[in-house]
């Protein structure tokens, strides 16, 4: 039987590319995009779209019944930098949207759920290098606290109610189709835009701040892979560590200079530096490799090539 998929928060940085990839795979009429706002032209023109507030359970339930949805991807959230400015709004959105979707699973109204976590679940007391799947987790940001709580609730709903919920701790994501939505790793996208348009970039993090990152194609591939793997192979029901590369602003600038010789970078750290300082610099993703065969394809060199080629006027 053909499954019917709902993406919530489909107009964001990940949702846009995820929707397009799922439509390619399952047919556009079987993949319903939804968001509180309309998205880019290529997303809106690619298949069905519904305006949906993820915190409104009744509206969500109605759409799930109408389209006979079997699988939900919940991508709506407030990201790390914005969440520090609006803590209660972030908590309400990030938690209530998750409860709504988990409760659909508990009521057997959907079969399978994807919900993303983040490297923000870790905190200043976590070992920074090759951070393990299970380690000290004492997040110090509003966003990180919501993601860690979310992970605990996912695991709880799986064990208590048999909800098939799957999750990945995404690192910072680099993409050219859609701009990022208010995270601490946004610099690694903005830098390519500015390199091409102005030849200079002022970075809001210090030059030696190393963070785990991933090119969007890898993130989408990992998401589809985890959702397709047999249930028995999904051994982690909180959220999987996932890694591809780690770099500093100085290192990304060096790569850009290989393509744009006169590119200049300067540094003006702001409040996002403290958030970045609380996160790991590299991630151990051996559990995802063992359980469902994860393997990244993009490093900093080919990510830079893809970004500059696709963003070039
Ligand atoms: N982008 C990254 O680097 C990154 C890294 C780690 C984890 N994540 C996680 O992945 C998920 C998606 O992130 P993203 O980067 O695409 O975020 P984004 O901010 O680009 O997109 C979020 C989307 O949710 C929508 N939205 C906001 N409130 C809503 C509501 N009440 N109802 C319905 N939709 C609503 C927004 O309009 C937006 O289109 C989030 O859970 C985020 O925490 C992202």
């Amino acid at each position: 039987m053909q499954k019917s998929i709902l993406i919530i928060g489909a107009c964001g940085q990940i949702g846009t590319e995820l929707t397009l990839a799922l439509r390619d795979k399952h047919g556009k009429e079987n993949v319903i995009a939804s968001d509180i706002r309309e998205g880019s032209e290529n997303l809106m023109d690619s298949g069905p779209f519904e305006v949906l507030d993820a915190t409104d359970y009744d509206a969500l339930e109605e759409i799930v019944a109408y389209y006979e949805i079997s699988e939900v991807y919940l991508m709506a959230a407030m990201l790390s930098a914005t969440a520090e400015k609006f803590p209660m709004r972030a908590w309400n959105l990030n938690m209530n949207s998750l409860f709504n979707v988990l409760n659909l699973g508990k009521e057997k109204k959907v079969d399978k759920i994807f919900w993303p976590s983040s490297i923000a679940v870790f905190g200043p007391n976590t070992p920074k290098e090759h951070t393990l799947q299970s380690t000290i987790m004492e997040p110090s940001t509003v966003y990180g606290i919501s993601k860690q709580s979310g992970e605990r609730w996912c695991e709880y709903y799986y064990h208590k109610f048999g909800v098939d919920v799957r999750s990945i701790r995404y690192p910072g994501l680099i993409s050219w189709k859609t701009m990022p939505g208010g995270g601490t790793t946004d610099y690694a996208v903005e830098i390519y835009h500015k390199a091409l348009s102005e030849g200079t970039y002022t970075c809001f993090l210090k030059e030696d701040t190393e963070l785990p990152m991933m090119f969007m194609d890898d993130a989408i591939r990992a998401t589809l892979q985890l959702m397709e793997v047999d249930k028995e192979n999904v051994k982690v029901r909180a959220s999987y560590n996932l890694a591809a590369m780690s770099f500093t602003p100085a290192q990304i600038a060096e790569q850009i200079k290989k393509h744009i010789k006169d590119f200049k970078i300067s540094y003006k750290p702001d409040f996002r530096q403290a958030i970045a300082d609380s996160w790991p610099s590299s991630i151990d993703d051996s559990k995802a490799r063992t359980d469902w065969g994860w393997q990244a394809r993009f490093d900093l060199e080919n990510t830079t090539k893809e970004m500059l080629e696709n963003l070039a006027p």
Side-chain angles (χ1 to χ4, degrees):
M1 211 182 80
Q2 184 60 54
K3 55 184 165 192
S4 190
I5 297 171
L6 175 67
I7 298 134
I8 303 171
C11 300
Q13 190 194 7
I14 307 175
T16 300
E17 298 208 30
L18 181 65
T19 305
L20 297 174
L22 286 167
R23 283 183 171 158
D24 263 356
K25 212 173 171 75
H26 301 288
K28 62 178 183 179
E29 65 287 355
N30 299 312
V31 179
I32 318 304
S34 74
D35 203 294
I36 37 162
R37 59 171 176 112
E38 292 201 347
S40 62
E41 214 174 287
N42 62 344
L43 175 90
M44 299 305 289
D45 292 347
S46 68
F49 177 83
E50 293 281 346
V51 171
L52 172 68
D53 178 351
T55 61
D56 182 345
Y57 184 79
D58 293 340
L60 174 60
E61 199 182 24
E62 206 176 299
I63 286 178
V64 165
Y66 180 79
Y67 289 101
E68 298 179 17
I69 298 294
S70 52
E71 229 171 272
V72 178
Y73 292 73
L74 172 57
M75 311 312 285
M78 195 184 286
L79 271 57
S80 57
T82 316
E84 289 305 301
K85 294 182 183 159
F86 309 105
M88 287 323 295
R89 267 170 55 193
W91 178 258
N92 288 335
L93 171 60
N94 295 3
M95 299 315 294
N96 291 338
S97 60
L98 177 59
F99 278 123
N100 284 348
V101 171
L102 288 175
N103 284 331
L104 284 175
K106 179 184 167 191
E107 303 292 328
K108 309 284 178 234
K109 291 184 173 155
V110 297
D111 300 331
K112 216 191 265 186
I113 294 165
F114 180 81
W115 170 80
S117 185
S118 155
I119 54 162
V121 287
F122 301 114
N125 299 325
T126 306
K128 275 197 179 304
E129 303 281 336
H130 306 292
T131 301
L132 297 173
Q133 176 68 43
S134 296
T135 180
I136 299 167
M137 290 166 80
E138 294 169 353
S140 57
T141 62
V142 173
Y143 176 69
I145 294 168
S146 77
K147 289 297 186 189
Q148 201 203 16
S149 310
E151 287 193 10
R152 305 273 42 90
W153 281 110
C154 286
E155 197 177 63
Y156 183 87
Y157 269 67
Y158 171 74
H159 287 301
K160 200 89 179 168
F161 308 118
V163 174
D164 187 358
V165 54
R166 304 173 182 206
S167 179
I168 285 172
R169 290 172 183 154
Y170 291 131
L173 297 183
I174 304 174
S175 68
W176 53 269
K177 286 189 187 151
T178 314
M179 286 301 281
T184 302
T185 51
D186 291 9
Y187 92 84
V189 176
E190 289 168 9
I191 193 170
Y192 292 109
H193 287 265
K194 291 282 186 192
L196 286 162
S197 63
E198 294 171 25
T200 65
Y201 178 64
T202 305
C203 185
F204 58 74
L205 296 182
K206 288 195 247 171
E207 62 179 310
D208 59 351
T209 308
E210 187 181 20
L211 289 170
M213 301 274 188
M214 180 175 284
F215 189 53
M216 186 62 84
D217 291 28
D218 269 343
I220 300 294
R221 197 166 49 79
T223 307
L224 301 190
Q225 205 177 324
L226 174 61
M227 286 300 271
E228 275 162 17
V229 84
D230 287 345
K231 212 170 166 172
E232 305 72 61
N233 292 340
V234 186
K235 305 226 166 66
V236 174
R237 290 295 180 160
S239 189
Y240 275 99
N241 272 9
L242 201 70
M245 57 184 134
S246 286
F247 56 78
T248 64
Q251 286 167 332
I252 193 172
E254 274 316 302
Q255 278 297 328
I256 291 174
K257 278 184 200 161
K258 289 185 183 165
H259 302 264
I260 304 172
K261 269 206 319 288
D262 298 332
F263 174 66
K264 298 223 164 9
I265 186 164
S266 56
Y267 301 93
K268 203 176 166 204
D270 65 15
F271 73 100
R272 288 168 282 194
Q273 184 65 47
I275 303 178
D277 287 343
S278 76
W279 291 352
S281 51
S282 60
I283 297 287
D284 178 315
D285 63 358
S286 47
K287 196 79 184 112
R289 289 165 185 267
T290 313
D291 289 0
W292 42 278
W294 165 246
Q295 175 79 58
R297 288 186 189 152
F298 285 85
D299 59 13
L300 179 57
E301 200 175 332
N302 48 21
T303 296
T304 300
K305 205 164 158 283
E306 286 284 321
M307 288 298 285
L308 293 176
E309 271 174 21
N310 284 292
L311 291 174

